[in-house]
Coordinates of all heavy atoms in Angstrom, one line a residue:
M1 N 47.0 93.1 69.8 CA 46.8 94.3 69.0 C 47.5 95.6 69.4 O 47.4 95.8 70.8 CB 45.2 94.5 68.8 CG 44.8 95.6 68.0 SD 43.0 95.7 67.8 CE 42.9 97.3 68.4
V2 N 48.1 96.2 68.6 CA 48.7 97.6 69.0 C 47.6 98.6 69.1 O 46.7 98.6 68.4 CB 49.6 97.9 67.8 CG1 50.4 99.2 68.1 CG2 50.8 96.9 67.6
D3 N 47.8 99.5 70.1 CA 46.9 100.6 70.3 C 47.8 101.9 70.3 O 49.0 101.9 70.2 CB 46.1 100.4 71.6 CG 47.0 100.4 72.8 OD1 48.1 100.8 72.8 OD2 46.4 100.2 73.9
F4 N 47.0 103.0 70.5 CA 47.6 104.3 70.3 C 48.8 104.5 71.3 O 49.9 105.0 71.0 CB 46.6 105.4 70.5 CG 47.2 106.8 70.7 CD1 47.6 107.6 69.6 CD2 47.4 107.3 72.0 CE1 48.2 108.7 69.7 CE2 47.9 108.5 72.1 CZ 48.4 109.2 70.9
S5 N 48.6 104.1 72.6 CA 49.6 104.3 73.6 C 50.8 103.5 73.2 O 51.9 104.0 73.3 CB 49.1 103.8 75.0 OG 48.8 102.3 74.9
Q6 N 50.8 102.4 72.7 CA 52.0 101.6 72.4 C 52.6 102.2 71.0 O 53.9 102.3 71.0 CB 51.6 100.1 71.9 CG 51.1 99.3 73.2 CD 50.5 98.0 72.9 OE1 49.8 97.9 71.8 NE2 50.7 97.0 73.7
R7 N 51.9 102.7 70.2 CA 52.3 103.2 68.8 C 53.2 104.4 69.4 O 54.1 104.8 68.8 CB 51.2 103.4 67.9 CG 51.8 104.0 66.6 CD 51.1 103.3 65.4 NE 51.4 101.9 65.2 CZ 50.8 101.2 64.4 NH1 49.8 101.8 63.5 NH2 50.9 99.8 64.2
L8 N 52.5 105.4 70.1 CA 53.1 106.5 70.5 C 54.6 106.3 71.3 O 55.5 107.0 71.0 CB 52.3 107.4 71.4 CG 52.9 108.6 72.0 CD1 53.3 109.7 71.0 CD2 51.9 109.3 73.0
R9 N 54.5 105.4 72.2 CA 55.7 105.1 72.9 C 56.8 104.6 71.8 O 57.9 105.0 72.0 CB 55.5 104.1 73.9 CG 56.8 103.8 74.8 CD 56.4 102.7 75.9 NE 55.3 103.1 76.8 CZ 54.1 102.3 76.7 NH1 54.0 101.3 75.9 NH2 53.1 102.6 77.5
Q10 N 56.3 103.6 70.9 CA 57.3 103.2 69.8 C 57.9 104.3 69.1 O 59.1 104.2 68.9 CB 56.6 102.1 69.1 CG 57.3 101.6 67.9 CD 56.4 100.8 67.0 OE1 55.3 101.2 66.8 NE2 57.1 99.9 66.2
L11 N 57.0 105.2 68.6 CA 57.6 106.2 67.8 C 58.6 107.2 68.6 O 59.5 107.5 68.1 CB 56.3 107.2 67.2 CG 55.6 106.4 66.1 CD1 54.3 107.2 65.8 CD2 56.4 106.3 64.8
R12 N 58.1 107.5 69.8 CA 59.1 108.3 70.7 C 60.3 107.7 70.9 O 61.3 108.3 70.8 CB 58.3 108.6 72.0 CG 59.1 109.6 72.9 CD 58.4 109.8 74.2 NE 58.0 108.7 75.1 CZ 58.9 108.1 75.7 NH1 60.2 108.4 75.8 NH2 58.5 107.0 76.4
N13 N 60.4 106.4 71.3 CA 61.5 105.7 71.5 C 62.4 105.5 70.3 O 63.8 105.7 70.3 CB 61.3 104.3 72.1 CG 60.8 104.3 73.6 OD1 61.2 105.2 74.3 ND2 60.0 103.5 73.9
T14 N 61.8 105.4 69.0 CA 62.6 105.3 67.8 C 63.3 106.5 67.5 O 64.3 106.6 67.0 CB 61.7 104.9 66.7 OG1 61.1 103.7 66.9 CG2 62.3 104.9 65.4
K15 N 62.6 107.7 67.8 CA 63.3 109.1 67.6 C 64.2 109.4 68.7 O 64.8 110.6 68.8 CB 62.1 110.1 67.5 CG 61.4 109.9 66.1 CD 61.9 110.5 65.0 CE 61.1 110.6 63.9 NZ 61.6 111.3 62.6
H16 N 64.3 108.6 69.7 CA 65.2 108.9 71.0 C 64.7 110.3 71.6 O 65.6 111.0 72.0 CB 66.6 108.9 70.6 CG 67.0 107.7 69.9 ND1 67.2 106.4 70.5 CD2 67.4 107.5 68.6 CE1 67.7 105.5 69.6 NE2 67.7 106.1 68.5
L17 N 63.4 110.4 71.9 CA 62.9 111.6 72.5 C 62.4 111.2 73.8 O 61.8 110.0 74.0 CB 61.6 112.2 71.7 CG 62.2 112.7 70.3 CD1 60.9 113.2 69.5 CD2 63.1 113.9 70.5
T18 N 62.5 112.1 74.8 CA 61.8 111.9 76.1 C 60.4 112.3 76.0 O 60.0 113.0 75.1 CB 62.6 112.7 77.1 OG1 62.4 114.2 76.9 CG2 64.0 112.4 77.2
Q19 N 59.6 111.9 76.9 CA 58.2 112.4 77.1 C 58.2 114.0 77.3 O 57.3 114.6 76.7 CB 57.6 111.8 78.3 CG 57.3 110.3 78.1 CD 56.5 109.7 79.3 OE1 56.6 110.3 80.4 NE2 56.0 108.5 79.1
E20 N 59.2 114.6 78.0 CA 59.2 116.0 78.0 C 59.5 116.6 76.8 O 58.9 117.6 76.4 CB 60.4 116.3 79.1 CG 60.6 117.8 79.2 CD 59.4 118.6 80.0 OE1 59.0 118.0 80.8 OE2 59.1 119.7 79.5
Q21 N 60.4 116.1 75.9 CA 60.6 116.7 74.6 C 59.4 116.6 73.8 O 59.0 117.6 72.9 CB 61.8 115.9 74.1 CG 63.1 116.1 74.7 CD 64.3 115.2 74.1 OE1 64.1 114.1 74.0 NE2 65.4 115.8 73.9
V22 N 58.7 115.5 73.7 CA 57.5 115.3 72.9 C 56.5 116.4 73.3 O 55.9 117.1 72.6 CB 56.9 114.0 73.0 CG1 55.5 113.9 72.3 CG2 58.0 113.0 72.3
A23 N 56.3 116.5 74.7 CA 55.4 117.4 75.3 C 55.6 118.7 74.8 O 54.6 119.5 74.5 CB 55.5 117.4 76.8
R24 N 56.9 119.2 74.9 CA 57.3 120.6 74.5 C 56.9 120.8 73.0 O 56.3 121.9 72.7 CB 58.6 120.9 74.9 CG 59.1 121.5 76.1 CD 60.4 122.0 76.2 NE 61.5 120.9 75.7 CZ 62.3 120.4 76.2 NH1 62.6 120.6 77.5 NH2 63.1 119.5 75.7
K25 N 57.2 119.9 72.1 CA 57.0 120.0 70.8 C 55.5 120.0 70.4 O 55.1 120.7 69.4 CB 57.7 118.9 70.0 CG 59.2 119.0 70.2 CD 59.8 117.9 69.4 CE 61.4 117.9 69.5 NZ 62.0 118.8 68.7
V26 N 54.6 119.4 71.2 CA 53.2 119.4 70.9 C 52.3 120.3 71.8 O 51.2 120.4 71.6 CB 52.7 118.0 70.8 CG1 53.4 117.1 69.7 CG2 52.6 117.3 72.1
G27 N 53.0 120.8 72.7 CA 52.3 121.9 73.6 C 51.4 121.3 74.7 O 50.4 121.9 75.1
V28 N 51.9 120.2 75.2 CA 51.2 119.7 76.5 C 52.3 119.5 77.5 O 53.5 119.7 77.3 CB 50.6 118.3 76.1 CG1 49.4 118.5 75.1 CG2 51.4 117.3 75.6
T29 N 52.0 118.9 78.7 CA 52.9 118.6 79.8 C 53.4 117.1 79.6 O 52.7 116.4 78.9 CB 52.2 118.8 81.1 OG1 51.2 117.6 81.2 CG2 51.6 120.1 81.3
A30 N 54.5 116.9 80.2 CA 55.2 115.5 80.1 C 54.3 114.6 80.8 O 54.1 113.4 80.4 CB 56.4 115.6 80.9
S31 N 53.5 115.0 81.8 CA 52.6 114.1 82.5 C 51.4 113.7 81.6 O 50.8 112.6 81.6 CB 52.1 114.6 83.8 OG 51.3 115.8 83.6
M32 N 51.1 114.7 80.6 CA 49.9 114.3 79.7 C 50.5 113.2 78.6 O 49.9 112.3 78.3 CB 49.6 115.6 78.9 CG 48.6 116.4 79.7 SD 47.1 115.7 80.2 CE 46.3 115.7 78.6
V33 N 51.8 113.4 78.3 CA 52.4 112.4 77.3 C 52.4 111.0 78.1 O 52.0 110.0 77.5 CB 53.7 112.9 76.8 CG1 54.3 111.7 76.0 CG2 53.6 114.1 76.0
S34 N 52.8 111.0 79.3 CA 52.8 109.8 80.1 C 51.4 109.2 80.1 O 51.2 108.0 80.0 CB 53.2 110.1 81.5 OG 53.3 109.0 82.3
S35 N 50.3 110.0 80.4 CA 49.0 109.4 80.4 C 48.5 109.0 79.1 O 47.7 108.0 78.9 CB 48.1 110.5 80.9 OG 47.9 111.5 80.0
Y36 N 49.1 109.5 78.0 CA 48.8 108.9 76.6 C 49.4 107.5 76.5 O 48.8 106.5 76.0 CB 49.3 109.8 75.5 CG 48.8 111.2 75.5 CD1 49.5 112.2 74.9 CD2 47.6 111.6 76.0 CE1 49.1 113.5 74.8 CE2 47.0 112.9 76.0 CZ 47.9 113.9 75.4 OH 47.4 115.2 75.3
E37 N 50.7 107.5 76.9 CA 51.4 106.3 76.8 C 51.0 105.1 77.7 O 51.3 103.9 77.6 CB 53.0 106.5 76.9 CG 53.5 107.3 75.8 CD 55.0 107.5 75.8 OE1 55.7 106.8 76.8 OE2 55.6 108.1 75.1
T38 N 50.3 105.5 78.8 CA 49.8 104.5 79.7 C 48.3 104.3 79.6 O 47.6 103.6 80.3 CB 50.0 105.0 81.2 OG1 49.6 106.2 81.5 CG2 51.6 104.9 81.4
D39 N 47.8 104.8 78.4 CA 46.4 104.5 78.0 C 45.4 105.0 79.1 O 44.3 104.5 79.2 CB 46.1 103.0 78.0 CG 45.4 102.7 76.7 OD1 44.9 103.6 75.9 OD2 44.7 101.6 76.5
I40 N 45.7 106.1 79.7 CA 44.9 106.7 80.7 C 43.9 107.8 80.0 O 42.8 107.9 80.3 CB 45.6 107.3 81.8 CG1 46.3 106.4 82.7 CG2 44.7 108.2 82.8 CD1 47.3 106.8 83.8
R41 N 44.7 108.5 79.1 CA 43.9 109.5 78.3 C 44.2 109.5 76.9 O 45.2 108.9 76.4 CB 44.4 110.9 78.7 CG 43.8 111.2 80.2 CD 44.2 112.7 80.5 NE 43.3 113.4 79.7 CZ 43.1 114.7 79.9 NH1 43.3 115.3 81.0 NH2 42.3 115.3 79.1
L42 N 43.4 110.0 76.1 CA 43.6 110.2 74.7 C 43.8 111.7 74.4 O 43.3 112.5 75.0 CB 42.5 109.6 73.7 CG 42.4 108.1 73.6 CD1 41.2 107.6 72.9 CD2 43.7 107.5 73.0
P43 N 44.7 112.1 73.3 CA 44.8 113.4 73.1 C 43.8 114.2 72.4 O 43.0 113.4 71.8 CB 46.2 113.5 72.2 CG 46.2 112.1 71.6 CD 45.6 111.2 72.6
S44 N 43.6 115.4 72.5 CA 42.6 116.2 71.7 C 43.0 115.9 70.3 O 44.0 115.5 69.9 CB 42.7 117.6 72.2 OG 43.8 118.1 71.6
Y45 N 42.0 116.3 69.4 CA 42.2 116.2 67.9 C 43.4 117.0 67.5 O 44.3 116.7 66.7 CB 41.1 116.6 67.1 CG 39.9 115.7 67.2 CD1 38.6 116.2 67.6 CD2 39.9 114.3 67.1 CE1 37.5 115.4 67.8 CE2 38.9 113.5 67.3 CZ 37.7 114.0 67.5 OH 36.5 113.2 67.7
E46 N 43.4 118.3 68.1 CA 44.5 119.2 67.8 C 45.8 118.6 68.2 O 46.9 118.6 67.4 CB 44.3 120.6 68.5 CG 45.5 121.6 68.4 CD 45.1 122.8 69.2 OE1 44.0 123.2 69.4 OE2 46.2 123.4 69.6
V47 N 46.1 118.0 69.3 CA 47.3 117.4 69.9 C 47.7 116.2 69.0 O 48.7 116.0 68.6 CB 47.3 117.1 71.4 CG1 48.5 116.4 71.8 CG2 47.1 118.3 72.1
L48 N 46.6 115.4 68.7 CA 46.8 114.3 67.9 C 47.5 114.6 66.5 O 48.4 114.0 66.0 CB 45.5 113.4 67.6 CG 45.5 112.1 66.9 CD1 46.2 111.2 67.8 CD2 44.1 111.7 66.6
I49 N 46.9 115.6 65.9 CA 47.5 116.2 64.7 C 48.9 116.5 64.8 O 49.8 116.3 64.0 CB 46.7 117.3 64.0 CG1 45.3 116.5 63.6 CG2 47.3 117.9 62.8 CD1 44.2 117.6 63.2
K50 N 49.2 117.3 65.9 CA 50.6 117.8 66.1 C 51.6 116.5 66.4 O 52.6 116.6 65.9 CB 50.7 118.5 67.5 CG 50.0 120.0 67.2 CD 49.9 120.8 68.4 CE 49.5 122.2 68.2 NZ 49.4 123.0 69.4
I51 N 51.1 115.4 67.1 CA 51.9 114.2 67.2 C 52.2 113.6 66.0 O 53.3 113.2 65.6 CB 51.2 113.2 68.2 CG1 51.2 113.9 69.6 CG2 51.9 112.0 68.1 CD1 50.3 113.2 70.6
A52 N 51.0 113.5 65.1 CA 51.3 112.9 63.7 C 52.4 113.7 63.0 O 53.2 113.1 62.4 CB 50.0 112.9 63.0
N53 N 52.3 115.0 62.9 CA 53.2 115.8 62.3 C 54.7 115.7 62.8 O 55.6 115.6 62.0 CB 52.8 117.4 62.4 CG 51.5 117.6 61.4 OD1 51.3 116.9 60.6 ND2 50.8 118.7 61.8
L54 N 54.8 115.6 64.1 CA 56.1 115.4 64.7 C 56.8 114.3 64.2 O 58.0 114.3 64.1 CB 55.8 115.4 66.3 CG 57.1 115.1 67.1 CD1 58.2 116.3 66.9 CD2 56.7 115.0 68.6
F55 N 56.0 113.2 64.2 CA 56.7 111.9 63.9 C 56.5 111.5 62.4 O 57.1 110.5 61.9 CB 56.1 110.8 64.6 CG 56.4 110.7 66.2 CD1 55.5 111.1 67.0 CD2 57.7 110.7 66.5 CE1 55.8 111.2 68.4 CE2 58.0 110.9 67.9 CZ 57.1 111.1 68.8
G56 N 55.9 112.4 61.6 CA 55.8 112.2 60.2 C 55.0 111.0 59.7 O 55.3 110.3 58.9
V57 N 53.8 110.8 60.5 CA 52.9 109.8 60.3 C 51.6 110.2 60.2 O 51.3 111.5 60.3 CB 53.0 108.6 61.3 CG1 54.3 108.1 61.5 CG2 52.6 109.2 62.8
T58 N 50.7 109.5 59.8 CA 49.3 109.8 59.5 C 48.6 109.7 60.9 O 49.1 108.9 61.7 CB 48.4 109.2 58.4 OG1 48.5 107.8 58.8 CG2 49.2 109.3 57.1
V59 N 47.5 110.3 61.0 CA 46.6 110.1 62.2 C 46.2 108.7 62.2 O 46.0 108.0 63.2 CB 45.5 111.2 62.3 CG1 44.5 110.9 63.4 CG2 46.0 112.5 62.5
D60 N 45.8 108.1 61.0 CA 45.3 106.6 60.9 C 46.4 105.8 61.4 O 46.1 104.8 62.0 CB 45.0 106.3 59.6 CG 43.6 106.8 59.2 OD1 42.8 107.2 60.1 OD2 43.2 106.8 58.0
Y61 N 47.6 106.1 61.2 CA 48.8 105.2 61.6 C 48.8 105.4 63.1 O 48.9 104.2 63.9 CB 50.1 105.8 61.1 CG 51.3 104.8 61.6 CD1 51.5 103.6 61.0 CD2 52.0 105.2 62.6 CE1 52.5 102.8 61.5 CE2 53.1 104.5 63.1 CZ 53.3 103.3 62.4 OH 54.4 102.6 62.8
L62 N 48.7 106.6 63.8 CA 48.8 106.6 65.3 C 47.6 105.9 66.0 O 47.8 105.3 66.9 CB 48.6 108.2 65.6 CG 49.9 109.0 65.5 CD1 49.5 110.5 65.9 CD2 50.9 108.4 66.4
L63 N 46.5 106.0 65.2 CA 45.2 105.4 65.8 C 45.1 103.9 65.4 O 44.2 103.3 65.7 CB 44.0 106.1 65.3 CG 43.8 107.5 65.9 CD1 42.7 108.2 65.2 CD2 43.8 107.6 67.4
C64 N 46.2 103.3 64.8 CA 46.3 101.9 64.5 C 45.2 101.4 63.5 O 44.8 100.2 63.4 CB 46.2 101.0 65.7 SG 47.5 101.5 66.9
R65 N 44.8 102.4 62.6 CA 43.8 102.0 61.5 C 44.7 101.5 60.2 O 43.9 100.9 59.4 CB 43.1 103.2 61.2 CG 42.1 103.7 62.3 CD 41.1 104.7 61.9 NE 40.4 104.0 60.7 CZ 39.4 104.6 60.1 NH1 39.0 105.7 60.4 NH2 39.0 104.0 59.0
E66 N 46.0 101.8 60.2 CA 46.7 101.4 59.2 C 48.1 101.1 59.6 O 48.5 101.7 60.7 CB 46.7 102.3 57.9 CG 47.4 103.7 58.3 CD 47.3 104.6 57.1 OE1 46.4 104.6 56.3 OE2 48.2 105.4 57.0
D67 N 48.9 100.4 59.0 CA 50.2 100.1 59.4 C 51.3 100.7 58.6 O 52.5 100.5 58.9 CB 50.4 98.6 59.5 CG 49.8 98.0 60.6 OD1 49.7 98.6 61.8 OD2 49.2 96.8 60.7
K68 N 50.9 101.4 57.6 CA 51.8 102.0 56.6 C 52.3 103.4 57.2 O 51.5 104.1 57.7 CB 51.2 102.2 55.3 CG 50.9 100.9 54.6 CD 50.3 101.3 53.2 CE 50.0 99.9 52.4 NZ 49.5 100.2 51.1
R69 N 53.6 103.6 57.1 CA 54.1 104.9 57.6 C 54.3 105.7 56.2 O 54.6 105.1 55.1 CB 55.4 104.7 58.1 CG 55.5 104.0 59.5 CD 56.7 104.2 60.2 NE 56.9 103.2 61.2 CZ 57.7 103.3 62.2 NH1 58.7 104.1 61.9 NH2 57.8 102.4 63.1
F70 N 54.3 107.0 56.2 CA 54.4 107.8 55.2 C 55.5 108.8 55.4 O 55.7 109.3 56.6 CB 53.1 108.6 54.8 CG 52.0 107.6 54.4 CD1 51.2 107.1 55.3 CD2 51.9 107.3 53.0 CE1 50.2 106.2 54.9 CE2 50.9 106.4 52.6 CZ 50.1 105.9 53.5
L71 N 56.3 109.2 54.5 CA 57.3 110.2 54.5 C 57.0 111.4 53.7 O 56.7 111.2 52.5 CB 58.6 109.5 54.1 CG 59.9 110.4 54.0 CD1 60.2 110.8 55.5 CD2 61.0 109.5 53.4
D72 N 57.0 112.6 54.2 CA 56.7 113.8 53.5 C 57.8 114.3 52.8 O 58.7 114.7 53.4 CB 56.0 114.8 54.5 CG 55.7 116.1 53.8 OD1 55.6 116.2 52.5 OD2 55.3 117.1 54.4
I73 N 57.8 114.2 51.5 CA 59.0 114.6 50.8 C 58.5 115.7 49.8 O 59.2 116.2 48.8 CB 59.6 113.4 49.8 CG1 58.5 112.8 49.0 CG2 60.2 112.5 50.6 CD1 59.1 111.9 47.9
S74 N 57.4 116.4 50.2 CA 57.0 117.5 49.3 C 57.9 118.8 49.3 O 57.8 119.5 48.2 CB 55.6 117.9 49.9 OG 55.7 118.5 51.2
E75 N 58.7 118.9 50.2 CA 59.7 120.2 50.1 C 60.9 119.7 49.2 O 61.7 120.6 49.2 CB 60.0 120.5 51.5 CG 58.8 121.1 52.2 CD 59.2 121.6 53.5 OE1 60.3 121.8 53.9 OE2 58.2 121.7 54.4
L76 N 61.1 118.5 48.9 CA 62.2 118.1 48.1 C 62.0 118.4 46.6 O 60.9 118.4 46.1 CB 62.5 116.5 48.3 CG 62.7 116.1 49.6 CD1 63.0 114.6 49.6 CD2 63.9 116.8 50.2
S77 N 63.1 118.5 45.9 CA 63.1 118.8 44.4 C 62.7 117.4 43.8 O 62.8 116.3 44.5 CB 64.3 119.3 43.8 OG 65.4 118.2 43.9
D78 N 62.3 117.4 42.5 CA 61.9 116.2 41.9 C 63.0 115.2 41.9 O 62.9 114.0 41.9 CB 61.5 116.5 40.4 CG 60.1 117.2 40.4 OD1 59.4 117.2 41.4 OD2 59.8 117.7 39.2
E79 N 64.3 115.7 41.6 CA 65.5 114.9 41.6 C 65.8 114.3 43.0 O 66.0 113.0 43.1 CB 66.7 115.8 41.2 CG 68.0 115.0 41.1 CD 69.1 115.8 40.6 OE1 68.9 116.6 39.6 OE2 70.2 115.7 41.2
E80 N 65.6 115.2 44.0 CA 65.8 114.6 45.5 C 64.7 113.5 45.8 O 65.0 112.5 46.4 CB 65.7 115.7 46.5 CG 66.9 116.7 46.4 CD 66.7 118.0 47.1 OE1 65.5 118.5 47.2 OE2 67.7 118.7 47.5
A81 N 63.5 113.8 45.4 CA 62.4 112.9 45.7 C 62.7 111.6 45.0 O 62.5 110.4 45.6 CB 61.1 113.4 45.2
A82 N 63.2 111.6 43.7 CA 63.5 110.3 42.9 C 64.6 109.5 43.7 O 64.5 108.3 43.7 CB 63.9 110.8 41.5
V83 N 65.6 110.3 44.2 CA 66.6 109.6 44.9 C 66.1 108.8 46.2 O 66.3 107.6 46.5 CB 67.7 110.4 45.4 CG1 68.7 109.9 46.3 CG2 68.6 111.0 44.1
V84 N 65.2 109.4 47.0 CA 64.5 109.0 48.1 C 63.7 107.6 47.6 O 63.9 106.6 48.3 CB 63.7 110.0 48.9 CG1 62.8 109.3 50.0 CG2 64.6 111.1 49.4
C85 N 63.0 107.7 46.6 CA 62.2 106.7 46.2 C 63.1 105.4 45.7 O 62.8 104.4 46.1 CB 61.2 107.1 44.9 SG 59.9 108.2 45.5
D86 N 64.1 105.7 45.0 CA 65.2 104.7 44.6 C 65.6 104.0 45.9 O 65.8 102.8 45.9 CB 66.3 105.3 43.8 CG 65.7 105.7 42.4 OD1 64.7 105.2 42.0 OD2 66.5 106.4 41.7
M87 N 66.0 104.7 47.0 CA 66.5 104.1 48.1 C 65.6 103.4 48.7 O 65.9 102.2 49.2 CB 67.0 105.4 49.0 CG 67.8 104.9 50.3 SD 68.3 106.1 51.4 CE 69.3 107.0 50.3
V88 N 64.3 103.8 48.8 CA 63.3 103.0 49.5 C 63.0 101.7 48.8 O 63.0 100.7 49.4 CB 61.9 103.9 49.6 CG1 60.7 102.9 49.9 CG2 62.2 105.0 50.6
N89 N 63.0 101.7 47.5 CA 62.8 100.6 46.7 C 64.0 99.5 46.8 O 63.7 98.3 46.9 CB 62.7 100.9 45.1 CG 61.3 101.5 44.9 OD1 60.4 101.3 45.6 ND2 61.3 102.4 43.9
L90 N 65.2 100.1 46.9 CA 66.4 99.3 47.2 C 66.2 98.5 48.5 O 66.5 97.4 48.7 CB 67.7 100.1 47.1 CG 68.9 99.4 47.3 CD1 69.1 98.4 46.2 CD2 70.1 100.4 47.4
L91 N 65.9 99.3 49.5 CA 65.8 98.7 50.9 C 64.6 97.7 51.0 O 64.7 96.7 51.7 CB 65.5 99.9 51.9 CG 66.6 100.8 52.2 CD1 66.2 102.0 53.1 CD2 67.9 100.1 52.9
K92 N 63.6 97.9 50.2 CA 62.5 97.0 50.1 C 62.8 95.6 49.6 O 62.4 94.5 50.0 CB 61.2 97.5 49.4 CG 60.4 98.5 50.1 CD 59.2 98.9 49.2 CE 58.3 99.8 49.9 NZ 57.3 100.1 48.9
K93 N 63.9 95.6 48.7 CA 64.2 94.5 48.1 C 65.1 93.5 48.9 O 65.3 92.3 48.8 CB 65.1 94.6 46.9 CG 64.2 95.2 45.8 CD 65.2 95.6 44.4 CE 64.4 96.3 43.4 NZ 65.2 96.6 42.3
R94 N 65.7 94.1 50.1 CA 66.4 93.3 51.1 C 65.7 92.2 51.7 O 64.7 92.0 52.1 CB 67.0 94.1 52.1 CG 68.1 95.1 51.8 CD 68.9 95.5 53.0 NE 68.1 96.3 53.9 CZ 68.4 96.6 55.2 NH1 69.6 96.1 55.4 NH2 67.7 97.2 55.9

């Protein structure tokens, strides 16, 4: 079973970020990110939300309550959003 520490490490590696870079972006130390990834500590609610925002996922995804990822396209125009949806649908057919 995947847990928060594994999911965080996976997301960080997928984005090619170091623990230090994640730490700076969410306002904690690199040692705190390391402790999250080694299952020593869990982040506060505030930090958990910042991590979710950083990686564009839900808190439920981070906490392994769901496996679906979400992409925030709210800042795109209707036309741009339609192009993204078409691309996702095309990739799903593969």
Side-chain angles (χ1 to χ4, degrees):
M1 181 175 126
V2 176
D3 63 9
F4 170 77
S5 61
Q6 293 169 324
R7 187 137 295 167
L8 174 59
R9 187 178 309 109
Q10 174 190 29
L11 288 167
R12 182 178 61 77
N13 288 331
T14 298
K15 293 276 190 174
H16 306 290
L17 295 173
T18 65
Q19 289 179 344
E20 178 66 36
Q21 290 169 316
V22 171
R24 273 192 308 242
K25 292 176 184 283
V26 299
V28 297
T29 64
S31 63
M32 286 298 289
V33 173
S34 176
S35 69
Y36 302 154
E37 289 187 4
T38 54
D39 218 12
I40 294 172
R41 294 188 63 156
L42 287 173
S44 67
Y45 295 130
E46 179 182 327
V47 173
L48 187 64
I49 292 168
K50 288 179 180 181
I51 292 170
N53 289 339
L54 172 64
F55 292 111
V57 298
T58 64
V59 171
D60 279 348
Y61 180 79
L62 281 176
L63 296 176
C64 305
R65 294 193 50 178
E66 65 182 30
D67 287 328
K68 294 181 181 179
R69 293 190 198 189
F70 295 92
L71 178 63
D72 181 8
I73 59 172
S74 61
E75 295 181 20
L76 301 179
S77 69
D78 289 343
E79 183 178 312
E80 292 166 333
V83 170
V84 171
C85 289
D86 289 344
M87 186 180 302
V88 168
N89 289 331
L90 178 66
L91 291 171
K92 283 181 174 181
K93 290 179 183 177
R94 284 197 304 161

